[in-house]
Amino acid sequence: MTITTQHSESSTPTPARQYYRVRDAAQVLGVPPRTLYHLVEREQIPCRRLGTVILLPAAWVEREPTMPVKRR
């Protein structure tokens, strides 16, 4: 009789997110992606560029207040 046990390899902690892509940040903040692209173009928000990819620091995205949902 053999007893087997399953070990989950998910016991290692996942690293915290350091950057958001513009579309992901827009979902978190509740604004259209174009708004964030506009603010990036005017250098009004912090960002990093990797080629054509624009990354927003997670510290900034998570610190900013989210937009309230509009009532219809």
Side-chain angles (χ1 to χ4, degrees):
M1 181 165 157
T2 305
I3 299 175
T4 59
T5 58
Q6 293 180 343
H7 295 284
S8 66
E9 294 185 26
S10 64
S11 61
T12 58
T14 57
R17 175 176 257 186
Q18 292 182 345
Y19 292 97
Y20 284 91
R21 288 181 174 232
V22 172
R23 290 183 187 206
D24 297 334
Q27 287 180 340
V28 170
L29 296 171
V31 298
R34 184 67 204 138
T35 301
L36 294 179
Y37 284 118
H38 178 75
L39 294 172
V40 166
E41 289 170 9
R42 296 192 176 258
E43 299 178 358
Q44 294 181 345
I45 60 176
C47 70
R48 297 273 189 256
R49 292 179 185 262
L50 293 175
T52 59
V53 178
I54 299 172
L55 300 173
L56 304 175
W60 181 84
V61 172
E62 293 164 358
R63 183 181 63 222
E64 290 299 309
T66 59
M67 295 297 295
V69 176
K70 291 183 180 179
R71 289 190 273 170
R72 296 181 183 208

